[in-house]
Structure formats: structure tokens, C-alpha cells
Amino acid sequence: MANAEPFADRATRMLRSAPLAAVLVLYTLYSALPFAWIATMSVRTTSEISANHYAWPTVWHWEKYRAAWFDSNFGTYFWNSTLVVVAAVAVVTVLGAAAAHCLARYRFRGNRLVYFILFSSIIFPPQIILISLFQVMAGYGLYNSRLGLTLVYIGLQLPLTVYLLEGFFARIPQDLFDAAKIDGYGDFEIFVRIVLPVGMPAIATTVILNFIQLWNEFLFAVVLVNDPGLSTLPIGIRRFMGDYFQDTGMIATGMMIAVLPVIVVYAFFSEKLIQGMTAGAVK
Amino acid sequence: MAVVRLDNLSKRYTGTADAAVDRVSFTVADGEFMVLLGPSGCGKSTTLRMIAGLEAISEGALWIDGRQVNTVPAKDRDIAMVFQSYALYPHMTVRDNLAFGLRRRDVAKAEIERRVALAASILGLEPLLERKPFALSGGQRQRVALGRAIVREPKVFLFDEPLSNLDAALRVATRNELVKLHRRLGVTMIYVTHDQVEAMTMGQRICVMNRGRVAQIGAPLEVYRNPADAFVARFLGSPPMNLFPATLRTDGGRALAAAGTHAIPLERWRTEALSPGREVLCGIRPEAFEIAGRTTAGTATVTGSLSAIEPLGAETLLLVDLGPGVGEVTARVRDDVDAPIGSTMALSFQPASVYLFDRTSELAIPAEGRA
Ligand SMILES: Nc1ncnc2c1ncn2[C@@H]1O[C@H](COP(=O)(O)OP(=O)(O)O)[C@@H](O)[C@H]1O
Ligand SMILES: [Mg+2]
């Protein structure tokens, strides 16, 4: 017992961290319990749920997933969501990174003006453009189209992405660029070989952020797309809510299906994020 | 191997009134180690970055190896640069950091490996090749930065304060290694520093800069012994040269500089070169002083009151107040001193070690003999 901590010391240490632990436990319960509740409901039928909201599933109705996927068109919604969101996030990431790099690194007339305009578009709530946007989209034949929704999503997320990445890229030391220039690399190669890898933690953050935001986006999806065959998941889930009847059980199942990709994306990119941070990318 | 020639090179940053670099001219000989020395903000980095091609040249001409390169992009100037921050690519291993510049230049794979291995062995980087920069110490990073320049086998090496992020002991060691490396490679090197010790010990010639202009160029000892103006005199030497205002006069046919209550004899100038009444700055280096009474005749003496003693071990710094009109001077003597503060202290010096500068222009008044 040569290395053992004296009991008194350990007790004080634990006592001191107790409030922190308590807060963490409370917060975890606060965010995880509703999720767990929906998870249980996703394998119970609506009548079972109305009998007892909080009961543990007695029979595990896995077939509800099958029913949601095939009978309620979730396969289609899922595909639409994936198509629109992945395309939008990909374009936002590439365009956003390139724009952020330009704003952070090149001195040109109007640099700060562009930055300011982008920044000010973040503070306005997107709802205020909804009606005019609807007319514009209809005018260009982009109403009721996945391409139209993708374009809108790109426009929605681009400013914040540029803003976040610009802040990060601006902190990459100029010497790195100068060194690469002397090493013989052109502007575009420097962007690809230096800025993107060094900026990976920030880029991963924006990917997660944009993906979650767009995957759950409802307002523009419901206004700009009418055709059920083109709808995204949040709209699909909404279809279980009728005017007089709400199929709570199926809503839960749909939500569980919808949430899965978010978890996958988060797990993958947060790994990247942590790798990037521990690599001491920028100092 | 190349000659670098700067012909009235100027740099004016947009939105600034004064030129950051103002008509700088000098020629670095093939294989020479040239040091740009000056205080922070005097335009050393800007000059170096113009040579590198990282900063556009506002006026003047730049020649590298007989070719005017004003508008040639950095990558085509055949130079390599070591940055103060090292600028290692954080996401690449040491090996990739070294090879990055060669890959772009379509150097054959085997040749890249040969050069990386050679540089790694010169700098002792072999065990670190697979590490990333964050897993290296400051000294090791510095070596990688150096290695990245070496593998390129450039015509000219440019250094921008490459040692200033190292601790004192490592700095001295690396200083010596850089000199050895220069001897080994025999390549033209231009080295920027604000550290006069680095400049004196490393440079074959030093170019002292002040406010964007060249103050003086010459071999280190020559600049130290014959500073062109009061700025150079103050900047080279540690502690800096004592400078105090004085007025010239003659006394029985001998020239004197009257400073406060003191009369400094002037031996290095012909009397007719010194017009009586001229306002000057009189300069005496701290190491030119000795404690009076222990030396032979032919020396001059000034007396004041001792205001501080700083023992450094091998030598002692004395601050002596020479009274109104002169103020405190520093003396660097070899003896241990244990006189009480406030006691009277007589300092002797050879009159030949006195410098004179014009009071307004601060330019040195040229002397006959050597200091
Ligand atoms: N990108 C810049 N834009 C405007 N002024 C600059 C820029 N870089 C340097 N300067 C100014 O030019 C002068 C010389 O700077 P620099 O060459 O970096 O000096 P040093 O390397 O000798 O410390 C300084 O006054 C500095 O403020
Ligand atoms: Mg500098």
C-alpha cells in the first residue's frame, strides 16, 4: 500500500468533485431520457402507448420499423433527405472553406464588406425570406424539386459556415503559406494541401453542425416541397400526425430511423475533430 | 551559389506614409554569410521577404545570380528560407516536411530519399523522421526547418531570426552549427537578426539597418571599431557605447571635448579637423574604461560617484555618475569592486579609444588613427 492515497485525501477529492458529477448526471438524464423514452415507444404500438405512456415494452414490435420503411414510404423520405442533405453539406463545405480561405488570407478591396454582408445575413431569422423565396423558387421552376431545396439549404448554411471557418483559417500562421509558396506550391494547391488538412477540426465541426441542422430542417422543406415522393424525413414523420388522429407509435419509429444517420455522422466527424485537435494543428 | 545584389530596393506598404525599406543597396558575394542587423521594425524582414519573393518590390532592382528577379515568383528564385516560427507543416511527418518542396519540383523519388537522408544525417534527425512537429522539442523543430532548406539545395539561404525561439544555451550551440553548415555547403546565406552577438559571431559581413535604411556595412570588427554613426555605435556592443554631449575646444594647442566638468583629450584627430565650439557626441565604450591608478601613464581620467555595481563573475559593470552634462556612464572592468555606493570613483581610459559624432547628423567624425 505504498502508493495508496490516504483515505482522507481521497474523500475530500471526491467530495469536491461531487457537485460537478451531480450536474453531469442530471444533464445526461435530461438529454438522454426523452431519447430513451422515444426508443421504447418506437417498438410499442400506439394503443399500447395510450394505455401506459411510460411502460417498458412487453412485446417488442420490431415489425414497426419494417412497416415504416416500406408501407409509410420512409425509404423514399430517407433517400430524399440523404440526397438533399449530403449534397447541400458537401457543397457548403467546399464553397464555405474556399470562401473562408479567401476572406482570411487575401487582401482585396471589399474583403471586409463581403464578410460583413455574410455576417449580417446570419443575424436575420431565415423565416422572413420564406414568402419571397417561395415566389422566386416557383418562378425558376425550382418549387417542388429536390434540387431547389438543396440550393436553398446551401444558401441557408453558407454564411455561418464561412463565418466559423474564416475565424479558424485566419489563425493559421502566414509563415505556413509563405513556406509552401517557396516550396513551389500555387494558391490552389496550398488551399488543398495546407488549409484543408490543417483546418480539419473546424471543417469537421461545420459538417456536423450543418448536417444536423439540415437533416432536421422542417420549415423550408414543408413550404418548398409538396409532392410526397420528394419529401424529406421531417415531413415524412409529420404525415403520421393527422388532423384528428396522431399515430404516436409510428412517429417514434420514424424518429428513430431519422436519428440514426445523425449519430453516424457525429461519431465519424467528431473522431476527426478530436484527432485534429490532439495533433496540435495550429499553434 | 550565387551573388545577390540589391539596387536601391524600397518597400512601401499600402496605407503607410513612410517606406518600410528605403533605398537599400548591397551586394552579397557568392558563398558569403551576410547578416542583416537592426532593432525590431527597422525593415530587416521586409528586405529579406523581398529577396525571397514573398513581398512585392516597390522600387529598385534585385539580382540573384546575374538575373533580375523583381517579378520572378518565389518558387522560381531558387532560394530557401528558414522562418522564425519554423513554419513546419503541422499535419505532416518530419520526412514529409523535408520532402514536400522536392515532390512539387518533380525530383526523382530516389533522389528525394537521398537528399532527405543526407539532411537528416547532417542534422541528426534520423530518429525523428516519422514524427509530427507537435511531438518535437523547439530545438528539433528548428533543425527540421533547417533541413527543409538544406534538401532543396538552393542557390541562396535566407534566415529570418531562426534562433530567437530557442533558449540561450541551444542558441549558442545552433549558432556554431549554422556557421559550420555554411562552411560545409559554401552557399550564399543572408541572415536576419536583432541580436548583435549573433551578428558579430556569425557574419562575414554585417549590414546594420536603421529605420528602413542601411546604416553601415562591413566586417563585424570593422563596424564595431569604426561605427559610421551614433546609432551603430549604440547598437553594437554590450553594454552599449557611452555617448554624451560635449563641445570641442582647444587648450594649449591640444584638442579637447568639454563635457560637463570633464575635459576629454582627443588624440585621433588632427587639431585643424576639429573646429572649436562644435557640438558633438563623445563616445567611450564601457570596456575602454579601467579603474584609475592601476595603469601606466598616457591615460586620461574622469571622476564621478559610483551609483551601482553589477558583478558578472568574470567582470564587473560599474555605473558611475559623472555629474551634470554627462550623466551616468557604464564601465566594464575585470577587477572585483567592493567600493561602497556613492563613493568617488576615478575611471581611466586611453584617449585613442574616444569616438566623436556630429551632434545633429549623428555621423561619425572620421579620425586618423584606429580606435
Ligand atoms: N504587412 C505589412 N503592412 C504594413 N506595414 C508593415 C507590414 N509588415 C511590416 N510592416 C512595417 O514595416 C516596418 C518594417 O517591418 P519589418 O520588416 O517586419 O521589421 P523587422 O523585421 O526589422 O523587425 C515596420 O514598421 C512594420 O510595422
Ligand atoms: Mg522581423
Side-chain angles (χ1 to χ4, degrees):
Chain A
M1 293 291 286
N3 299 326
E5 215 177 340
F7 175 75
D9 284 5
R10 210 161 75 198
T12 25
R13 195 163 51 87
M14 278 162 70
L15 260 177
R16 239 185 250 135
S17 53
L20 179 68
V23 170
L24 283 179
V25 166
L26 276 179
Y27 185 75
T28 308
L29 290 179
Y30 170 76
S31 38
L33 275 185
F35 183 76
W37 185 32
I38 291 172
T40 64
M41 288 198 291
S42 74
V43 288
R44 301 170 70 210
T45 62
T46 300
S47 46
E48 281 170 351
I49 293 167
S50 28
N52 182 351
H53 295 348
Y54 303 106
W56 192 250
T58 42
V59 188
W60 296 66
H61 295 282
W62 292 114
E63 75 278 2
K64 283 179 64 196
Y65 280 87
R66 205 185 165 282
W69 191 264
F70 293 107
D71 307 338
S72 300
N73 262 336
F74 259 62
T76 310
Y77 303 145
F78 198 95
W79 168 242
N80 290 337
S81 266
T82 307
L83 202 67
V84 170
V85 173
V86 168
V89 169
V91 173
V92 163
T93 306
V94 172
L95 272 187
H101 172 58
C102 287
L103 289 172
R105 202 52 59 179
Y106 297 100
R107 262 175 286 164
F108 56 89
R109 193 175 287 276
N111 178 317
R112 289 297 96 179
L113 182 70
V114 172
Y115 183 76
F116 177 75
I117 292 171
L118 274 173
F119 180 64
S120 48
S121 72
I122 296 173
I123 35 188
F124 294 116
Q127 290 84 339
I128 62 174
I129 58 163
L130 195 56
I131 293 174
S132 46
L133 185 66
F134 176 84
Q135 286 172 338
V136 170
M137 299 299 281
Y140 280 100
L142 288 169
Y143 173 69
N144 227 351
S145 105
R146 286 178 297 206
L147 175 65
L149 191 60
T150 307
L151 290 176
V152 170
Y153 280 179
I154 292 169
L156 276 182
Q157 297 307 108
L158 204 51
L160 186 67
T161 306
V162 173
Y163 176 68
L164 290 176
L165 292 181
E166 199 268 353
F168 192 89
F169 289 174
R171 294 212 314 272
I172 300 176
Q174 178 64 31
D175 283 356
L176 276 190
F177 296 89
D178 292 340
K181 241 186 251 173
I182 291 180
D183 269 345
Y185 290 86
D187 288 13
F188 182 72
E189 287 166 311
I190 290 176
F191 174 65
V192 172
R193 285 160 175 272
I194 308 287
V195 177
L196 291 187
V198 171
M200 201 31 96
I203 294 172
T205 307
T206 59
V207 167
I208 293 175
L209 202 78
N210 289 331
F211 189 87
I212 294 176
Q213 193 96 2
L214 294 181
W215 192 258
N216 296 328
E217 205 284 327
F218 182 81
L219 181 67
F220 288 89
V222 79
V223 172
L224 298 177
V225 177
N226 198 24
D227 181 349
L230 300 175
S231 290
T232 52
L233 272 170
I235 314 303
I237 294 171
R238 183 70 178 70
R239 286 190 211 283
F240 289 121
M241 302 179 201
D243 289 340
Y244 308 105
F245 172 73
Q246 178 163 314
D247 192 348
T248 314
M250 286 311 281
I251 292 176
T253 310
M255 281 166 98
M256 290 309 289
I257 293 175
V259 107
L260 201 71
V262 174
I263 294 172
V264 171
V265 166
Y266 185 80
F268 179 73
F269 279 95
S270 65
E271 179 74 9
K272 272 259 170 291
L273 200 150
I274 289 160
Q275 270 174 14
M277 287 195 297
T278 51
V282 183
K283 49 155 246 167
Chain B
M1 302 273 247
V3 175
V4 178
R5 187 155 75 84
L6 283 70
D7 185 9
N8 280 305
L9 221 54
S10 295
K11 175 69 188 183
R12 213 173 286 277
Y13 285 108
T14 44
T16 55
D18 296 332
V21 171
D22 191 7
R23 285 162 288 164
V24 165
S25 299
F26 58 78
T27 304
V28 187
D30 188 16
E32 188 179 23
F33 196 115
M34 171 72 114
V35 175
L36 296 187
L37 174 68
S40 171
C42 72
K44 310 178 295 289
S45 294
T46 305
T47 306
L48 199 72
R49 291 169 59 81
M50 283 196 285
I51 299 173
L54 297 173
E55 212 72 70
I57 293 168
S58 306
E59 274 160 57
L62 172 68
W63 305 74
I64 297 178
D65 200 17
R67 181 166 69 124
Q68 188 177 343
V69 293
N70 280 44
T71 54
V72 174
K75 65 187 167 80
D76 300 326
R77 292 191 185 188
D78 208 356
I79 47 101
M81 183 155 166
V82 178
F83 296 84
Q84 179 177 0
S85 66
Y86 312 142
L88 303 183
Y89 308 118
H91 55 296
M92 295 183 201
T93 61
V94 169
R95 182 189 299 282
D96 289 337
N97 262 284
L98 294 178
F100 193 60
L102 298 178
R103 295 207 180 111
R104 183 68 184 80
R105 281 157 209 276
D106 300 327
V107 179
K109 229 180 177 147
E111 173 67 5
I112 294 180
E113 265 167 39
R114 186 191 69 79
R115 289 201 207 173
V116 168
L118 180 67
S121 83
I122 291 175
L123 299 168
L125 290 173
E126 288 111 330
L128 310 174
L129 281 174
E130 304 312 325
R131 289 210 204 158
K132 295 233 177 113
F134 71 90
L136 301 177
S137 72
Q140 291 167 336
R141 284 180 204 181
Q142 208 278 334
R143 280 159 182 281
V144 178
L146 205 54
R148 203 164 59 179
I150 292 174
V151 295
R152 290 267 317 282
E153 300 181 357
K155 279 187 193 150
V156 183
F157 277 78
L158 306 175
F159 299 92
D160 194 353
E161 314 218 10
L163 306 186
S164 51
N165 285 341
L166 300 179
D167 61 57
L170 205 51
R171 197 147 58 207
V172 174
T174 316
R175 208 161 74 195
N176 294 329
E177 278 183 50
L178 271 176
V179 172
K180 273 189 217 142
L181 185 73
H182 174 249
R183 228 175 277 145
R184 175 177 181 156
L185 302 177
V187 179
T188 312
M189 294 189 175
I190 304 178
Y191 185 102
V192 160
T193 181
H194 66 270
D195 182 327
Q196 47 120 356
V197 179
E198 269 175 35
M200 295 288 290
T201 53
M202 299 176 78
Q204 293 175 325
R205 279 195 303 157
I206 58 183
C207 168
V208 187
M209 291 185 65
N210 182 25
R211 296 196 197 164
R213 297 194 188 178
V214 173
Q216 189 171 7
I217 302 179
L221 281 180
E222 157 137 1
V223 177
Y224 174 81
R225 289 199 185 115
N226 297 307
D229 61 22
F231 169 82
V232 177
R234 258 186 236 115
F235 200 75
L236 248 70
S238 164
M241 181 187 282
N242 297 298
L243 286 170
F244 44 86
T247 309
L248 297 183
R249 59 186 174 81
T250 45
D251 184 21
R254 295 179 52 210
L256 291 175
T261 57
H262 307 274
I264 314 287
L266 304 173
E267 282 184 359
R268 293 162 65 220
W269 293 266
R270 273 179 302 168
T271 325
E272 50 283 15
L274 304 175
S275 47
R278 183 172 177 186
E279 307 271 301
V280 296
L281 283 173
C282 193
I284 303 176
R285 290 208 181 270
E287 48 272 35
F289 282 123
E290 279 181 89
I291 294 175
R294 306 184 191 190
T295 40
T296 50
T299 60
T301 307
V302 285
T303 305
S305 78
L306 184 63
S307 49
I309 304 177
E310 293 178 13
L312 300 177
E315 50 198 18
T316 309
L317 297 185
L318 302 175
L319 253 69
V320 177
D321 190 349
L322 294 185
V326 180
E328 271 181 356
V329 295
T330 309
R332 188 166 138 189
V333 299
R334 248 159 292 154
D335 327 69
D336 288 335
V337 178
D338 54 2
I341 301 296
S343 62
T344 303
M345 174 71 55
L347 297 173
S348 65
F349 58 93
Q350 301 289 336
S353 64
V354 174
Y355 294 88
L356 287 182
F357 304 93
D358 186 82
R359 185 90 66 86
T360 38
S361 71
E362 297 216 335
L363 291 177
I365 299 173
E368 301 287 298
R370 291 211 122 214

